[in-house]
């Protein structure tokens, strides 16, 4: 099946590109400001005072803190449903900021330039408390950005899992088509052979053509609509052999484009259901089949008198299977209507050719 309605794949490379773009923008806002001249109304680019030593060191403190939280702390502790992990996340995030800033501005700058940002006698508790304020913005920016990217990845994983589930279901439904059809058709041929009918050879020939469709075409995602119509005609020819002259069908098929692509075995179950559960031997109440296709949609209606002696359920496995596949293919973007007054059974289906779920 084609993958549909997926979010654009967020690979590691794309995630890295997002982070690079973020830091380019963040750097511009951190070091540069734009001022408009009152005389000319022309924007003037000015360098902020952050270009001083401890303005620059703070930038690297935030960058290092961001990287540690984003790549190491958040993947381990991010879980807002667990308050203990949330508290640990916040604690280790601020601890990371404080330790990184202390290492750079109290140790490295002292070794390189002989100066420190805070007085050497500043109590550690005061240093830590004050840096709760300075670290808040970068910490929560990091958590927000990681959360958004993580959310997108989670949505992608959920969609992928749902798609795999749907693909497995549609393969299972397709696998049911052949045994269901074969069971019905072999019963028909058995009836012909049991009465030594010379029509049984023709029936086997038709069955061979039909089985080529059910074996090869139904395993495809889409087929040309003419292939399904050919299948329907072969199926009706097989039933004609079975019933002989007592087989009354009124069929009207209008196909604008025989090459239009549809999912296989969507039209056929409606006709099979009518013949299996309807009355085909009365000329005054024939089974009515109407199929029409345009460049944008396909519609089919089938109407039959109900065989009151038929013990099987009216809908049967064929229609149940069909409805599940329609939901998979089109979601809510199709019309499916059944009218049953216990004398006449009418079914209508309309689905788009190019628009899908």
């Amino acid at each position: 099946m084609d993958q549909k309605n997926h979010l654009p794949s967020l690979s590691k490379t794309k995630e890295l590109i997002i982070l690079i773009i973020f830091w380019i923008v963040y750097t511009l806002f951190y070091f540069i400001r734009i001022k408009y001249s009152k005389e000319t109304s022309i924007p003037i680019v000015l360098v902020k005072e952050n270009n001083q030593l401890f303005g620059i060191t703070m930038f690297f403190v935030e960058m290092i803190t961001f990287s540690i939280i984003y790549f190491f702390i958040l993947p381990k502790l991010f879980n807002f449903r667990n308050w203990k992990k949330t508290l640990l996340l916040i604690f280790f995030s601020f601890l990371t900021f404080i330790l990184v800033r202390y290492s750079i501005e109290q140790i490295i700058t002292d070794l390189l330039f002989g100066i420190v940002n805070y007085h050497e006698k500043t109590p550690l508790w005061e240093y830590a408390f004050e840096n709760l304020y300075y670290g808040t913005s970068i910490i929560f920016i990091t958590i927000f950005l990681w959360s958004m990217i993580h959310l997108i990845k989670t949505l992608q994983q959920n969609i992928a899992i749902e798609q795999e589930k749907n693909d497995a279901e549609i393969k299972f439904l397709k696998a049911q088509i052949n045994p269901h059809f074969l069971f019905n058709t072999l019963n028909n041929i058995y009836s012909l052979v049991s009465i030594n009918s010379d029509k049984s050879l023709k029936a086997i020939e038709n069955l061979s053509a039909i089985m080529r469709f059910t074996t090869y075409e139904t395993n495809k995602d889409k087929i040309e609509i003419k292939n399904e119509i050919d299948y329907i005609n072969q199926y009706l020819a097989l039933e004609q052999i079975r019933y002989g002259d007592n087989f009354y069908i009124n069929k009207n098929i209008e196909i604008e484009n025989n090459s239009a692509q549809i999912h296989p075995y969507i039209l056929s179950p409606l006709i099979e259901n009518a013949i299996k559960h309807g009355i085909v031997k009365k000329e005054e109440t024939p089974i009515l089949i109407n199929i029409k296709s345009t460049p944008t949609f396909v519609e089919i209606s089938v109407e039959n008198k109900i065989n009151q002696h038929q013990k099987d359920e009216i809908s049967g496995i064929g229609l149940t299977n069909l409805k599940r596949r329609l939901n998979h293919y089109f979601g809510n973007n199709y019309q499916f209507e059944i009218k049953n007054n216990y004398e006449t059974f009418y079914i209508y289906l309309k689905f788009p050719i190019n628009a899908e779920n």
Side-chain angles (χ1 to χ4, degrees), residues 164-275:
E164 289 176 3
K165 177 182 175 182
N166 289 340
D167 288 346
E169 180 179 5
I170 203 67
K171 288 178 182 177
F172 171 74
L173 293 173
K174 284 185 175 181
Q176 287 185 328
I177 292 174
N178 291 353
H180 172 61
F181 169 78
L182 185 60
F183 176 78
N184 290 338
T185 306
L186 288 178
N187 274 343
N188 296 345
I189 295 178
Y190 174 78
S191 300
L192 294 172
V193 173
S194 65
I195 59 175
N196 296 319
S197 171
D198 57 0
K199 297 178 180 178
S200 59
L201 291 178
K202 178 61 177 175
I204 293 173
E205 182 182 340
N206 286 335
L207 175 61
S208 176
I210 290 172
M211 289 306 295
R212 280 195 295 271
F213 175 86
T214 57
T215 301
Y216 299 110
E217 300 300 309
T218 57
N219 288 324
K220 298 177 181 178
D221 182 48
K222 287 188 176 182
I223 61 172
E224 292 183 352
I225 191 172
K226 71 179 182 63
N227 292 342
E228 178 114 359
I229 299 300
D230 288 344
Y231 166 81
I232 291 171
N233 289 330
Q234 290 279 2
Y235 175 80
L236 293 176
L238 192 61
E239 293 297 323
Q240 178 74 61
I241 293 174
R242 176 188 176 191
Y243 287 100
D245 294 334
N246 296 320
F247 185 68
Y248 297 100
I249 298 286
N250 282 352
K251 180 177 60 174
N252 178 43
I253 299 178
E254 300 176 13
I255 306 298
E256 287 193 20
N257 180 9
N258 283 321
S259 299
Q261 298 285 311
I262 65 169
H263 294 285
Y265 203 70
I266 285 186
L267 305 176
S268 310
L270 279 64
I271 296 171
E272 291 180 11
N273 181 78
I275 292 175

Side-chain angles (χ1 to χ4, degrees), residues 96-200:
T96 298
F97 178 84
I98 293 169
L99 291 177
V100 170
R101 189 179 188 195
Y102 187 88
S103 299
I104 292 177
E105 296 185 349
Q106 300 300 116
I107 299 176
I108 295 177
T109 57
D110 186 27
L111 293 174
L112 295 178
F113 307 106
I115 57 174
V116 294
N117 193 10
Y118 283 77
H119 193 277
E120 294 178 354
K121 294 183 180 180
T122 302
L124 285 178
W125 68 266
E126 182 180 333
Y127 181 88
F129 183 78
E130 185 170 328
N131 278 281
L132 293 179
Y133 167 76
Y134 288 112
T136 297
S137 60
I138 191 61
I139 288 173
F140 283 98
I141 287 174
T142 307
I143 293 174
F144 175 79
L145 185 59
W146 189 92
S147 301
M148 292 300 99
I149 292 177
H150 178 73
L151 176 62
I152 293 174
K153 288 182 176 180
T154 302
L155 290 175
Q156 288 177 339
Q157 290 173 357
N158 291 340
I159 291 173
I161 292 171
E162 186 65 23
Q163 186 66 40
E164 289 176 3
K165 177 182 175 182
N166 289 340
D167 288 346
E169 180 179 5
I170 203 67
K171 288 178 182 177
F172 171 74
L173 293 173
K174 284 185 175 181
Q176 287 185 328
I177 292 174
N178 291 353
H180 172 61
F181 169 78
L182 185 60
F183 176 78
N184 290 338
T185 306
L186 288 178
N187 274 343
N188 296 345
I189 295 178
Y190 174 78
S191 300
L192 294 172
V193 173
S194 65
I195 59 175
N196 296 319
S197 171
D198 57 0
K199 297 178 180 178
S200 59

